[in-house]
């Protein structure tokens, strides 16, 4: 019998099909499909029940670093080292648009990224995509015609993560410069800068909590911190300013000094919430959200666990890792595992005499 607040994830499946390391794995909003992105230049759509590969998305000329689902589940967007993003129709597998702008005019709002595109995310209405790049900028794109709507000179080092909040009013970005910034998605104004000190470690990943009030910030010193950012969620409240921001939790125990490892909130249980992160020791660490106590460590991967994602509608977790001893761009077996939280029911003694 497990302790209250703990998880009991067990491996239930492995997705096999990519030729090289999988850099990102994401559940669809309804939990019925899974998207993976790989250094082999492809993304794949999988059935989350049968684990069958439904579609292989081909078109990028270099490795893909991230994949994101639209909130309606009809599209995915991929971010690639070929300096572009691609919008894909999930049902047909067709590329609907290429977001690359005018690469010969990088200073224009219409310009595309000029370096690797490392991360992407959709807004609440599935009308815009936000992207972050090694060119140190954050860009927003119109899904309908692929136009670059706005370029934010966001950071002084590569941008490692971007995300809209649930309402679509805010964008959060993280960077190797050690700073996390919160932006008004409508005006492009920077509303808040989050940093521990003048010498903050590089930020490897950022993610809004499901209620939007908090941000999980992963850094290359082996820590995940939960910040209460204090920025109002509604558009009407934004001009009034923001409350004080503060770090309220710190999660430690995993290894993260070199790679950009993702983290995720696990919310399927009605009474308990957790946060999970990949690790460079080939494990997945899960902490109880409120106490920051490590409740489970998942073992089975042979290399660095790059990506973790939780099914928001069920007790499932997806993880992707590199194979041991191989770099992300080397030919290797695809290590994408699906885990299910299966709490053991306590045994009840009847006390009946033999």
């Amino acid at each position: 019998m497990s302790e209250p607040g703990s998880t009991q994830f067990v491996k239930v499946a492995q997705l096999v099909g990519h030729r090289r390391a999988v850099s990102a794995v994401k559940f669809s909003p309804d939990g019925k499909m899974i998207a993976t992105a790989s250094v082999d230049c492809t993304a794949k759509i999988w059935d989350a029940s049968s684990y069958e590969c439904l579609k292989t998305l081909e078109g990028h000329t270099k490795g893909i670093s991230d994949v994101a689902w639209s909130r309606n589940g009809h599209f995915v967007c991929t971010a690639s080292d070929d300096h572009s993003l691609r919008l894909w129709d999930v049902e047909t597998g067709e590329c609907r648009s290429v977001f690359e702008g005018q690469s010969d005019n990088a200073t224009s709002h219409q310009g595309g990224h000029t370096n690797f595109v490392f991360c992407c995310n959709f807004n609440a209405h599935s009308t815009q995509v936000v992207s972050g790049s090694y060119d140190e900028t954050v860009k927003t794109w119109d899904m309908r015609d692929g136009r670059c709507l706005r370029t934010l000179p966001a950071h002084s080092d590569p941008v490692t993560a971007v995300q809209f909040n649930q309402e679509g009013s805010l964008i959060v970005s993280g960077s190797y410069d050690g700073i996390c910034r919160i932006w008004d998605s409508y005006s492009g104004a920077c509303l808040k800068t989050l940093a521990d000190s003048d010498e903050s470690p590089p930020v490897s990943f950022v993610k809004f909590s499901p209620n939007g009030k908090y941000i999980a910030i992963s850094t290359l010193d082996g820590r995940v911190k939960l910040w209460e950012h204090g920025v109002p969620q509604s558009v009407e409240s934004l001009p009034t300013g923001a409350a004080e921001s503060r770090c309220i939790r710190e999660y430690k125990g995993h290894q993260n000094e070199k790679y950009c490892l993702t983290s995720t909130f696990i919310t399927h249980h009605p009474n308990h919430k957790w946060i999970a992160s990949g690790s460079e020791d080939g494990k997945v660490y899960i902490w109880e959200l409120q106490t920051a106590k490590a409740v489970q460590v998942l073992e089975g991967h042979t290399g660095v666990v790059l990506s973790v994602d939780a099914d928001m509608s069920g007790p499932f977790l997806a993880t992707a890792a590199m194979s041991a001893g191989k770099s992300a761009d080397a030919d290797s077996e695809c290590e994408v595992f699906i885990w299910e939280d299966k709490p053991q029911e306590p045994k009840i003694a009847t006390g009946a005499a033999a």
Side-chain angles (χ1 to χ4, degrees):
M1 181 178 176
S2 61
E3 295 181 9
S6 65
T7 58
Q8 294 191 48
F9 280 99
V10 295
K11 179 184 167 184
V12 294
Q14 179 174 356
L15 307 184
V16 178
H18 285 290
R19 301 186 306 276
R20 293 185 176 180
V22 172
S23 50
V25 57
K26 304 282 180 66
F27 281 98
S28 62
D30 62 6
K32 294 182 179 180
M33 291 181 283
I34 300 167
T36 55
S38 171
V39 181
D40 67 10
C41 305
T42 72
K44 291 179 181 288
I45 306 297
W46 310 77
D47 185 295
S49 296
S50 67
Y51 308 115
E52 174 189 1
C53 181
L54 303 175
K55 292 285 187 299
T56 296
L57 312 179
E58 297 179 295
H60 283 294
T61 58
K62 293 186 178 180
I64 302 172
S65 294
D66 198 13
V67 61
W69 286 89
S70 63
R71 300 292 175 89
N72 58 20
H74 296 165
F75 303 95
V76 295
C77 184
T78 50
S80 171
D81 286 359
D82 64 12
H83 302 188
S84 76
L85 300 103
R86 285 178 177 258
L87 179 69
W88 307 86
D89 185 306
V90 171
E91 184 177 359
T92 65
E94 296 179 354
C95 179
R96 296 285 292 269
S97 186
V98 180
F99 303 160
E100 55 188 355
Q102 301 171 1
S103 58
D104 61 342
N105 186 9
T107 60
S108 168
H109 286 326
Q110 303 302 317
H113 285 295
T114 59
N115 208 325
F116 306 146
V117 188
F118 196 70
C119 45
C120 58
N121 189 248
F122 284 87
N123 70 344
H125 302 294
S126 302
T127 57
Q128 292 184 23
V129 170
V130 61
S131 61
S133 168
Y134 268 50
D135 64 13
E136 304 173 4
T137 69
V138 170
K139 292 177 180 286
T140 54
W141 306 81
D142 190 322
M143 256 189 62
R144 296 165 297 183
D145 56 17
R147 276 187 309 120
C148 179
L149 300 173
R150 177 173 282 109
T151 298
L152 305 175
H155 294 276
S156 58
D157 276 312
V159 178
T160 55
V162 290
Q163 189 192 23
F164 281 101
N165 67 343
Q166 287 287 348
E167 290 76 13
S169 58
L170 304 177
I171 295 170
V172 63
S173 64
S175 167
Y176 279 141
D177 62 12
I179 291 174
C180 171
R181 286 198 166 101
I182 302 172
W183 309 85
D184 181 342
S185 65
Y186 300 99
S187 69
C190 180
L191 303 173
K192 183 67 71 76
T193 297
L194 306 179
D196 276 338
S197 64
D198 293 337
E199 297 183 359
S200 296
V203 174
S204 56
F205 188 70
V206 296
K207 187 180 182 72
F208 278 111
S209 63
N211 66 8
K213 295 180 180 179
Y214 307 95
I215 298 172
I217 303 177
S218 302
T219 50
L220 293 183
D221 59 353
R223 294 186 292 176
V224 179
K225 290 188 174 183
L226 188 67
W227 281 75
E228 185 176 19
H229 58 75
V231 179
Q233 300 291 304
S234 65
V235 179
E236 293 78 9
S237 302
L238 292 180
T240 65
E244 190 70 21
S245 57
R246 61 193 181 104
C247 176
I248 61 172
R249 300 281 188 282
E250 185 174 306
Y251 309 90
K252 297 187 295 184
H254 65 304
Q255 297 178 15
N256 189 196
E257 297 179 350
K258 181 178 180 181
Y259 295 92
C260 290
L261 312 180
T262 72
S263 57
T264 190
F265 293 93
I266 303 174
T267 61
H268 67 273
H269 194 281
N271 300 320
H272 300 285
K273 302 292 181 285
W274 302 272
I275 190 166
S277 174
S279 178
E280 291 167 4
D281 60 7
K283 302 173 183 178
V284 178
Y285 289 75
I286 302 174
W287 300 271
E288 206 278 326
L289 189 65
Q290 294 299 323
T291 65
K293 176 184 177 182
V295 296
Q296 191 176 9
V297 178
L298 307 183
E299 300 186 24
H301 286 293
T302 63
V304 177
V305 181
L306 297 171
S307 181
V308 297
D309 191 52
D311 177 7
M312 303 306 289
S313 61
F316 296 95
L317 189 71
T319 60
M322 299 189 301
S323 294
K326 296 190 176 182
S327 64
D329 60 354
D331 290 332
S332 62
E333 182 182 2
C334 168
E335 282 198 5
V336 180
F337 295 164
I338 309 301
W339 312 77
E340 183 178 1
D341 190 15
K342 294 184 174 182
Q344 298 294 318
E345 293 295 332
K347 294 182 178 180
I348 301 175
T350 64

